[in-house]
Amino acid sequence: MCARCGGPLAPELDLFAALGLARRLVVEPTELERRYHDLGRRIHPDRFASSSAAVKEASLQGTALLTRAYRVLRDPMSRGLYWLELHGEKLADNNKQVPAELAALVFEVQEQLAELREAQDRSASEPLAEAIRAWRAEVQAAMEQAREELGANFASWDEGRAEAANLLPNLKATLAKIAYLRTLLRDIDRELEPPVLSG
Amino acid sequence: MSRIFGIDLGTTNSLIAMMDGDTPRIIRDPHTGAALLPSVVALGPNGVLAVGARAVELEGELTDGNQPLASDSPSTEVCVIRSIKRYMGLGGDDLAPEERRRYPFAELSGPLVRFRIRERVYNPPQISGEILRALKARAEAACGEAVEKVVITVPAYFNDGQRQATKDAGRLAGLEVVRLVNEPTAASLAYGLGNMTSGKVAVYDLGGGTFDISILSIKEGIFEVLATNGDTHLGGDDMDQALVDLIMRALPEELRHERGVWTKARTAAESAKCQLSDAPSARIKLELAGHQIDLTLSREEFEKMIDRLVARTMERCRMALKDAGLRTQDVDAVVLVGGATRVPLVSRRVAELFGRQPLCSLDPDLVVAMGAAVQASVLMGKQGDMLLLDVVPLSLGIETMGGVMERLIHRNTTIPTSVKEKFTTAVDKQTYVDVHVVQGERELAGDCRSLARFKLGPIQPQPAGVPRIEVTFMIDANGILNVAARDERTGLEHSVDVKPSYGLTEEEIERLLEEAIDHGEQDLEQRLLIAARNDAEQILSAFSKQSNEYPELIEPKERTRSEAAAQRLSAVLSGQDRESITRLTEELNELTTPFAQRIMEQAIKQALQQKSVDEIAD
């Protein structure tokens, strides 16, 4: 049970504990890195090159868990998703539904992207690309705002106001928004600068 | 503990190094003083004729079976193979057209490239193994001690199969490969040693046959790779080839396939390339098949010829920076590694891209081997706080319905890393599930590289979807995949027989080791005995060290039994009975496993105890 919200917890998934952290959503990046490096120095397989097979295996497993914990907790978005998972929730697999407050923005951007895609002559479509760049800034601003919302949500959890403030549904909605904006930004960038295929 | 040596197994040249106190030192040939061993192997119908400088001499003498011959059978008794690294762990389809054409005696149709010389067949790990063997002999002669354990460097962008092939080469040479280290990362260790600065470093490594770019974050002895990218078929060899093509164009068509022409042209090309690094122009003057060639080439013309090659590396640099989440101005230092970075155009382009002068204070030919020696000493526990955290260069996934690649581990994930995936059956009473593991960045599994296939099972016949098998994909610190499976319901471990798509199977390696007996080399049984003794010594010393260091973690009964087992093992250790040594080693390993796990848990706990009191109270 989660001490804060009374929800179920999956103990084997506790990535906070793997890094020796209390279960708090607001994480200080330098502190996180310090712990990761510190633990890594102690348990990494390179420290046990001449140990028995069992110790090597334990070190390998421990380090794999450690790197996973660091990777998941370092990024606020993935940390939030992990928090949902801890509370038995997750984002819908197919995140196609446009969050209501983003509808107007998304509609406008998609339309312009479609137009650019259809434009045969890339040089003549330069004004269009310019307009999309301006929209990109708007999307970026919406992203910044969503990130701030996420930060506020995190802080509220840590203050223990989960029940009162409806934090779980809020967290889910904010994460959905960020996921959506992320996809949108990627679509824009792909259209503006087609990626080079890697071998 | 026996010493670990560092090896740079290069496309063009290979080196072996060791730590001399706190400084890495390249071990030179005791007779000639040479640091570089040319990665060239001469093969005859009865086996290996020569490796290194002598093989290069033979190449010069030969009437040459190496050039693209009009007829398809080599008519000479000697075949000389260069750049074997470009063939490691690959099938014929993976090769560039130039590589396919290069050796008329190569068999390219199988899953793995092989070279057939009369009745003998050689695979790339065997040939690389010969280079490793020569390095081992050099170091043993120079240092007067046995070389058994090594760190070998590989291009960061090497895939699983290429890494596995490198490990196989080590085994075939009678070496224990303690660790594979990525070349650019090794170079950063050599630069970082004794100079523990913090910051973001880009390592640009253009070798004979491969290109890597790695972006690292260095902080208090932790060398953390943020992203890596590269091309395992791009290097100084390709610049030489551009010049060979130029020379060939000066030769009448019908003479181009004459014996010895290609080898001579290549030697002239390489020397012209080197001249152009220092001089504004180079003269290529030689006699080919009775025809006089006399060309003068300016550096500018040469740069035009290789501009596209260099541009390809710049594109890879941008991709790596993007994956690292950095802009060029965030990079605090750029390091040049690999002989091909001596070409002025290369360092100029690198300087332009990163907006700063690259560092090359350590010899670009030696720095990777020096770094391998540093990592070897880290593994021997001699470098205090130094630790290397590398990444997997290519995404790893499985083929799902419709041939789509489902990504399980993304490229540039820090290793070791593991991911668990659940599998079930699609039809009633299905007793096996097939799993196909692929590596690459494309959407369709068919466009990615096949790593391995395996069957899960036998599963008890049940309705479709009922069985639950959890498969763990673990990429170890060498960047090599290991697979384990467990039945969720019964908790039973499944054995997973992974069939590598391109690598050598365990049986093939055993067979090759057995064949080595025919070569009149070390007896196989003797070699296995040595390996068994090494394993035994390792666990004995680990156990005695640990039971002294952590007496509180071992229960009295456990100690009595383990010590008795250790004594039994010590008693047979110097004898010839390999089976007893192996059996008792396993017994001791099993008995001490719970103890070992407690030590690991305590190490983790101790680290956790450093957290502040209020956090614990929380």
Side-chain angles (χ1 to χ4, degrees), chain B residues 66-179:
Chain B
N66 284 343
Q67 49 168 348
L69 284 173
S71 67
D72 54 8
S73 70
S75 45
T76 50
E77 298 284 308
V78 182
C79 297
V80 176
I81 296 184
R82 280 181 176 267
S83 304
I84 189 62
K85 194 172 178 180
R86 288 192 163 207
Y87 298 82
M88 291 284 275
L90 299 178
D93 297 344
D94 301 312
L95 302 176
E98 209 291 298
E99 289 153 7
R100 289 180 64 87
R101 267 189 279 117
R102 185 139 169 196
Y103 299 111
F105 47 91
E107 291 183 353
L108 304 168
S109 54
L112 205 69
V113 178
R114 280 164 208 272
F115 300 94
R116 179 178 289 279
I117 291 142
R118 291 262 184 109
E119 296 310 308
R120 286 198 98 91
V121 177
Y122 297 89
N123 56 53
Q126 267 175 296
I127 295 168
S128 286
E130 293 303 333
I131 299 168
L132 292 173
R133 220 180 269 269
L135 290 172
K136 175 179 151 91
R138 169 186 286 191
E140 285 177 345
C143 309
E145 62 180 290
V147 176
E148 284 163 351
K149 296 180 175 186
V150 294
V151 165
I152 303 181
T153 60
V154 291
Y157 217 56
F158 251 18
N159 68 30
D160 185 275
Q162 292 167 305
R163 285 168 196 269
Q164 194 63 60
T166 306
K167 267 194 116 170
D168 292 345
R171 256 185 91 184
L172 293 173
L175 293 166
E176 182 193 334
V177 182
V178 186
R179 183 88 138 71

Side-chain angles (χ1 to χ4, degrees), chain B residues 324-344:
Chain B
L326 297 178
R327 296 159 303 169
T328 49
Q329 60 265 39
D330 300 326
V331 173
D332 301 303
V334 185
V335 173
L336 293 182
V337 181
T341 59
R342 290 209 177 87
V343 171

